[in-house]
Amino acid sequence: MYTQALNTTEAEDRSLEDAGRAARFQARIDAEERIEPNDWMPAAYRKTLTRQISQHAHSEIVGMLPEGNWITRAPTLRRKAALLAKVQDECGHGLYLYAAAETLGSSREELVDQMLSGKAKYSSIFNYPTLSWADIGAIGWLVDGAAIMNQIPLCRCSYGPYARAMIRVCKEESFHQRQGYEIMLTLCRGSAEQKAMAQDALNRWWWPCLMMFGPPDGDSQHSDTSTKWKIKRFSNDELRQKFVDATVPQAHYLGLTLPDPDLKKNEATGHWDYGTIDWDEFKQVLAGNGPCNRDRLAARRKAHEEGAWVREAAAAYAEKRNKKLAA
Ligand code: FAQ
């Protein structure tokens, strides 16, 4: 476990700043050096990274639920195998991310309890329902697509364990994005009913996906410090725009229409200008009032309770093994 002595309070940090530690820390960040678990870091850097990484981990774990819902109903054995593997990958991402967060001094139990009690956030996107098979295509294409756009720059995050975890996560998310797009392509080349199902999924997932990138830059609370510390390399709005620019031509290739009458190519900037996002809806989802917030937390709490015997057995085995090794 990483030493408790490194867990400085904010008051202690202020006095350490006087000694120039904070300035040396910032100089290392500015020089693109990686910060590793045993290095000195300001309490606020540790806190914001623990917040972001744990929220990211919870998103991967809760994110298994909407797709997991379709494993038993996948249309073919091939689709079932791919979906099963994808959902397992998301679980693996959650586990790397909890491990990365643990290097900052919080235990996995503590972090998971924060999620189960509703104190910690997870991505808004996982509070929407998966109503048809096309939603599985839309999630892979759009949700994983948005996740990649956000996570590729995190491979260069200043905190070593998070940046390294992101490399593998991004490779797997790219595969997920392609399998989702391929489901959409198959539906769009199928019957009129299948194409309509794909269009309906796009209509429902498009705006919530744009919300995944977080509040507009003017309302983002953490962006300034996270940018200074090179946790964030692009702002929420910059990443959202990159996602729109990459995704609109993909929708056109599928022969689908984006549910935004204001969407228009801006010939001067080369970007796709999009309409107004419903930030009230985003705030409602964050406040726990999205279509599935209650179901998602109830499902996670049930799984946690039902898994208690596994945790107890693992702890008993570890204790026995440690005693044996010490003997
Ligand atoms: N949902 O000041 P900012 C995936 C919160 S993984 C919920 O701009 P920040 C893979 C934010 O936490 C998806 N809350 O915050 C997958 C803060 O609240 P706090 C998850 C949100 O941190 C695919 C407050 O609003 N990805 O999809 C959201 O600078 C398929 C103010 O916001 C990550 O977590 C939101 N959408 O920027 C899995 C990536 N947006 O903490 C399964 C890492 C904002 O003060 C199936 N995270 N908030 O209480 C990040 O890059 C950042 O944390 C942002 C937010 C960009 C999400």
Side-chain angles (χ1 to χ4, degrees), residues 51 55 121 124 150 173 212 214 220-222 232 236:
R51 175 190 67 79
Q55 183 176 296
K121 294 191 172 80
S124 50
N150 167 275
E173 302 291 27
M212 278 178 77
S220 169
Q221 306 151 33
H222 303 290
K232 270 183 156 172
N236 297 355

Side-chain angles (χ1 to χ4, degrees), residues 104-322:
L104 291 158
S106 304
S107 70
R108 183 179 306 191
E109 291 74 18
E110 213 179 310
L111 299 172
V112 169
D113 282 348
Q114 287 171 5
M115 185 252 284
L116 295 176
S117 69
K119 205 174 134 207
K121 294 191 172 80
Y122 58 85
S123 182
S124 50
I125 194 71
F126 302 116
N127 292 306
Y128 290 85
T130 39
L131 303 180
S132 79
W133 172 251
D135 289 29
I136 301 306
I139 291 182
W141 171 36
L142 301 172
V143 177
D144 285 271
I148 296 167
M149 202 53 93
N150 167 275
Q151 287 167 199
I152 295 271
L154 289 174
C155 297
R156 293 189 293 125
C157 159
S158 57
Y159 189 57
Y162 192 28
R164 288 188 289 274
M166 280 302 106
I167 295 170
R168 177 164 173 180
V169 169
C170 284
K171 285 189 178 149
E172 293 179 350
E173 302 291 27
S174 299
F175 171 74
H176 299 164
Q177 197 267 354
R178 278 153 198 245
Q179 71 87 37
Y181 193 72
E182 202 255 334
I183 291 175
M184 294 301 273
L185 198 56
T186 306
L187 291 172
C188 290
R189 288 179 178 167
S191 65
E193 286 86 351
Q194 286 172 319
K195 189 162 181 192
M197 208 161 85
Q199 181 65 59
D200 174 60
L202 172 58
N203 293 349
R204 285 181 291 104
W205 288 92
W206 176 249
W207 291 106
C209 280
L210 296 192
M211 295 174 196
M212 278 178 77
F213 295 92
D217 290 352
D219 296 341
S220 169
Q221 306 151 33
H222 303 290
S223 278
D224 289 351
T225 41
S226 290
T227 304
K228 180 180 88 171
W229 284 330
K230 299 197 176 167
I231 296 169
K232 270 183 156 172
R233 300 275 177 169
F234 295 97
S235 75
N236 297 355
D237 285 333
E238 281 169 340
L239 290 174
R240 194 171 1 253
Q241 185 66 59
K242 277 173 184 276
F243 173 75
V244 171
D245 290 344
T247 312
V248 171
Q250 294 169 357
H252 291 164
Y253 185 77
L254 292 172
L256 296 178
T257 311
L258 288 143
D260 178 358
D262 296 325
L263 188 76
K264 184 163 97 266
K265 183 84 181 257
N266 183 326
E267 296 306 334
T269 63
H271 295 299
W272 285 90
D273 291 340
Y274 52 91
T276 311
I277 296 173
D278 182 353
W279 292 114
D280 285 339
E281 176 180 324
F282 177 71
K283 284 181 196 149
Q284 281 299 320
V285 174
L286 259 58
N289 302 321
C292 299
N293 293 58
R294 286 170 191 82
D295 285 357
R296 299 295 184 233
L297 273 184
R300 282 312 315 152
R301 286 182 188 134
K302 183 167 180 279
H304 192 73
E305 277 161 24
E306 288 175 358
W309 71 271
V310 180
R311 292 189 297 280
E312 280 162 24
Y317 175 77
E319 198 185 320
K320 202 171 156 196
R321 194 166 163 271
N322 287 345

